[in-house]
Amino acid sequence: MSAEMKAVLGEAIAAHPDDEQDGAIPTGYALRAKGRGVAVEDSDLTCMLRAIAEGRDYITTLGLVGWMRVVAQNIALEGWPSEG
């Protein structure tokens, strides 16, 4: 990921928690994304992309990734939680 893209991503992530809860301040992030390979024409290969907040310790990152796994597993087994 280019430094410019990482900066834009960091700014967007920094702004998002305040949209959800006034005054919230992100202290780290771990982003996982899945995509299709484009290096080979007509590729069906799946690629996994990741981005981790600069300067954050591995314990924070591992905690976020572990929490994401648990949430995703619960959603897969029980469905999305109802809003409201």
Side-chain angles (χ1 to χ4, degrees):
M1 179 181 304
S2 70
E4 182 180 78
M5 181 58 69
K6 185 95 173 185
V8 170
L9 178 63
E11 289 172 16
I13 290 171
H16 177 66
D18 193 50
D19 286 344
E20 298 293 319
Q21 179 182 6
D22 288 341
I25 300 169
T27 57
Y29 68 83
L31 172 68
R32 299 290 292 176
K34 178 182 168 188
R36 293 198 52 194
V38 294
V40 179
E41 256 184 69
D42 299 323
S43 174
D44 286 331
L45 299 175
T46 298
C47 61
M48 298 299 288
L49 310 169
R50 65 174 168 71
I52 298 170
E54 294 287 335
R56 301 296 180 218
D57 60 68
Y58 285 103
I59 298 300
T60 299
T61 301
L62 289 172
L64 288 169
V65 171
W67 176 79
M68 287 189 300
R69 181 191 59 79
V70 168
V71 169
Q73 187 175 21
N74 287 340
I75 290 169
L77 296 174
E78 301 169 13
W80 287 96
S82 60
E83 300 258 345

